[in-house]
C-alpha cells in the first residue's frame, strides 16, 4: 500500500506543477488517473477538494443487469472527476420526474487535502449511504453536501447504488439471489479500502453512515459477511433491518418478480425464462410497468444460495440473535415524530379503517395465517393502546403510531439486542429539535406538529443544495448544527461521540446501552442524557409480541 501512496503523491505533485490551473488536481487510483476540482465550504469558506463521478464498478447494463456488481475496468486516459455521475434510475423526490441511467455506479470523494511528503497523516473517513426507501435518491450533493463534516478534517465519501427492481429483484437462485443494491454498497466499500489513501483518507478508519433506507443499509452492512473488515464504525439514523419497510421475505420477493413478468406480458413460471425476458426489455418499458403498479422491491434473505455472492444468508433478527454480525461501535436513533413523513397521506385517509389496517399489520408483523382468530384480539389491543376508544382519533395519534411501527421499534430492538451481544459500544439518540432548518418537516407539510420529522437532522449534518439552507448567526439552529457535527465527527475519529468534556456539547457524556441500562442522548435545543427510550411503549410491544408469537423481537 505504501508504494501505491508514494506513486500517487509523485503523480499529484507532477500534475500540480505542470497544470495551467491550481484548481486541477489529479490522483492516480488503482483503476486510472482522475482530475478533481476545488470547492469552498458554505460555512467556513475553507477550500476542500472534490473528486466526483468516479466509476467504482462496471456499468450494470446488458448481461450485467440484475447481476452482482463487477470491479470497475481500468482506464489510462485522464478521467474528468469534476462533476457528479449519473444517478441510478428513480423518481426524484424533488422534481417528481424520472431521472438517471443504468450506468450509474459512481463514487464521490471530498477531502481536506491530498497527501504529500514522506510522513503522510491520513484523515478519518465518513462514508454516507443515501436513503430513499431503496427506490429513489442518490449520493449527490443535492441533499448530502459534505461541507460541514469536511470542516472537521474528515474525508467524506458518497456514492450511488442500484434502486428498485434493478437493485433488489430476487429470484432466489444463483443467477439473481437478490440484494444487488446492497452488494453495490459493499463494492463501493471495497473501492474505498483500496483507494482512499490516495485521497488522504485512512482505509483503516472508515465509518459508514446513513439515514432512513440509508440507515437500514448501514445495518445490513453491519450484518453482512460480505462487508466484514471494510469499516470500523457505523451510524444508522432512523433505519434498521428490523423496520417493516426494510425487509421482504424470500418467497414474497420471488412472487413479486413473477407478478412483474405477468404485467409485462409473460406468464412463465420458469425463473431462467423470466430472467432472459426481463434482461431483453428496454429499461423504459420495465420502468413504466413497475412504477405504475407500485411494486415493492426490498432487501431479502438469500436462502439456500450456493455462491460466494451471498450478502444476507438469513433473516436479520436471526443473524443478530446468533451474534453473527460485524461488532463495531454503533450509533443509532430516531426522530421524535418520524411519522410526519406520512402526514399528507394520513390527512387523506391512510390508516382510515383502523380495524382492518391494524389487523393487516398484526398479520404481517407476527406472520400469522389469514384466519388466525388471534389477529382480531391482538389488533384490538394495538388500537386500544394507541387510539383509546378510536372514536375521535387525532392526527398526532396516527403520527405517533407510524413513528413507533415503522421506525422506533426496529431501531430500539436493534440497539438492545446488539448491545447485549456485541463487544463494541452501542449509542442511541432521539432527535427532537424543531427549528427553522427542519427542511423535511416543512417538505412533508408538518406545520406546527411538535417534534422533529423523519430525516430532519440531515439539514444540520449536510449542506443541501436543493434549498436556500442557511443558519442565522448565533441562532439555535446553528448551535444545534455545530453540536451534532461535533458528536458525529468525534465518533468518526474515536468511536466515542463524547470522548471528553466539551463546553460546545454542554459537557454531556453520552453513555452506551448495556444489558441492564438503556441510556439515550436527547438532542434538542439542549443535549440531555435520558434513560429508557419510550419505555411504556416498547414494553407494550414486547409483551404483545410475546403473547402472539414464539419470541419477542427484542429478546
Amino acid at each position: 500500500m505504501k508504494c501505491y501512496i508514494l506513486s500517487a503523491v509523485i503523480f499529484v505533485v507532477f500534475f500540480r506543477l505542470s497544470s495551467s490551473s491550481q484548481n486541477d488536481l489529479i490522483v492516480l487510483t488503482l483503476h486510472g488517473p482522475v482530475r478533481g476540482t476545488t470547492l469552498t465550504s458554505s460555512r467556513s469558506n475553507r477550500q476542500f477538494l472534490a473528486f466526483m463521478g468516479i466509476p467504482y464498478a462496471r456499468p450494470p447494463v446488458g448481461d450485467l443487469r440484475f447481476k452482482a456488481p463487477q470491479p470497475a475496468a481500468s482506464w489510462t486516459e485522464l478521467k474528468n472527476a469534476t462533476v457528479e455521475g449519473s444517478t441510478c434510475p428513480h423518481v426524484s423526490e424533488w422534481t417528481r420526474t424520472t431521472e438517471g441511467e443504468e450506468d450509474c455506479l459512481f463514487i464521490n470523494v471530498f477531502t481536506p487535502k491530498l497527501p504529500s511528503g514522506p510522513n503522510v497523516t491520513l484523515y478519518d473517513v465518513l462514508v454516507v449511504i443515501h436513503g430513499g426507501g431503496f427506490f429513489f435518491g442518490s449520493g449527490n450533493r443535492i441533499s448530502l453536501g459534505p461541507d460541514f463534516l469536511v470542516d472537521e478534517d474528515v474525508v467524506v465519501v458518497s456514492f450511488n447504488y442500484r434502486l428498485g427492481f434493478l437493485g433488489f429483484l430476487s429470484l432466489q437462485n444463483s443467477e439473481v439471489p437478490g440484494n444487488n443494491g446492497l452488494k453495490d454498497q459493499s463494492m463501493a466499500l471495497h473501492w474505498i479500502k483500496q483507494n482512499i489513501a490516495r485521497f488522504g483518507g485512512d482505509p483503516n478508519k472508515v465509518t459508514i453512515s446513513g439515514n432512513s433506507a440509508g440507515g437500514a443499509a448501514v445495518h445490513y452492512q453491519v450484518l453482512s459477511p460480505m462487508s466484514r473488515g471494510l469499516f470500523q464504525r457505523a451510524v444508522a439514523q432512523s433505519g434498521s433491518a428490523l423496520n417493516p419497510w426494510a425487509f421482504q421475505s424470500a418467497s414474497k420477493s420471488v412472487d413479486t418478480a413473477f407478478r412483474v413478468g405477468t404485467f409485462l406480458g409473460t406468464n412463465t413460471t420458469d425463473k431462467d425464462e423470466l430472467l432472459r425476458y426481463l434482461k431483453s426489455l428496454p429499461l423504459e418499458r420495465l420502468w413504466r410497468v413497475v412504477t405504475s403498479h407500485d411494486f415493492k422491491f426490498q432487501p431479502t434473505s438469500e436462502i439456500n444460495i450456493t455462491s460466494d455472492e451471498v450478502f444476507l444468508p438469513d433473516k436479520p433478527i436471526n443473524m443478530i440473535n446468533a451474534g453473527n454480525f460485524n461488532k463495531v461501535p454503533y450509533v443509532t436513533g430516531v426522530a421524535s415524530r418520524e411519522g410526519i413523513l406520512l402526514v399528507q397521506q394520513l390527512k387523506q385517509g391512510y390508516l382510515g379503517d383502523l380495524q382492518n389496517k391494524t389487523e393487516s399489520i398484526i398479520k404481517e408483523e407476527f406472520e400469522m395465517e389469514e384466519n388466525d382468530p388471534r389477529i382480531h384480539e391482538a389488533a384490538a389491543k394495538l388500537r386500544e393502546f394507541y387510539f383509546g376508544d378510536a372514536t375521535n382519533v387525532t392526527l398526532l395519534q396516527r403520527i405517533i403510531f407510524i413513528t413507533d411501527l415503522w421506525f422506533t421499534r426496529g431501531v430500539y430492538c436493534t440497539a438492545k439486542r446488539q448491545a447485549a451481544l456485541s463487544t463494541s459500544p452501542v449509542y442511541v439518540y432521539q432527535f427532537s429539535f424543531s427549528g427553522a432548518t427542519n427542511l423535511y418537516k416543512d417538505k412533508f407539510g408538518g406545520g406546527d406538529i411538535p417534534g422533529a420529522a423523519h430525516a430532519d437532522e440531515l439539514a444540520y449534518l449536510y449542506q443541501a443544495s436543493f434549498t436556500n439552507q442557511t443558519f442565522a448567526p448565533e441562532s439555535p439552529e446553528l448551535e444545534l448544527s455545530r453540536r451534532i457535527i461535533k458528536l458525529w465527527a468525534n465518533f468518526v475519529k474515536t468511536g466515542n461521540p463524547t470522548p471528553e468534556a466539551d463546553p460546545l456539547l454542554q459537557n454531556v457524556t453520552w453513555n452506551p446501552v448495556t444489558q441492564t441500562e438503556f441510556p439515550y442522548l436527547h438532542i434538542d435545543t439542549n443535549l440531555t442524557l435520558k434513560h429508557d427510550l419510550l419505555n411504556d411503549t416498547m414494553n407494550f410491544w414486547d409483551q404483545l409480541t410475546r403473547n402472539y408469537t414464539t419470541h419477542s423481537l427484542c429478546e
Side-chain angles (χ1 to χ4, degrees), residues 145-165:
D147 306 39
F148 308 157
L149 285 152
V150 177
D151 281 346
E152 293 291 324
D153 286 331
V154 171
V155 172
V156 178
V157 182
S158 62
F159 56 87
N160 302 330
Y161 57 92
R162 282 173 284 178
L163 303 166
F165 67 96

Side-chain angles (χ1 to χ4, degrees), residues 495-513:
N496 183 340
T498 55
E500 59 187 11
D502 185 338
L504 174 63
L505 303 180
Q506 300 178 294
N507 295 317
V508 70
T509 298
W510 187 353
N511 294 327
V513 176

Side-chain angles (χ1 to χ4, degrees), residues 223 242 247 249 301-303 312-320 367:
L223 294 177
L242 302 185
F247 181 77
S249 70
S301 299
E302 297 159 59
I303 305 297
L312 196 71
D314 201 348
K315 289 183 177 181
I317 187 60
N318 293 342
M319 296 181 69
I320 295 172
E367 299 179 351

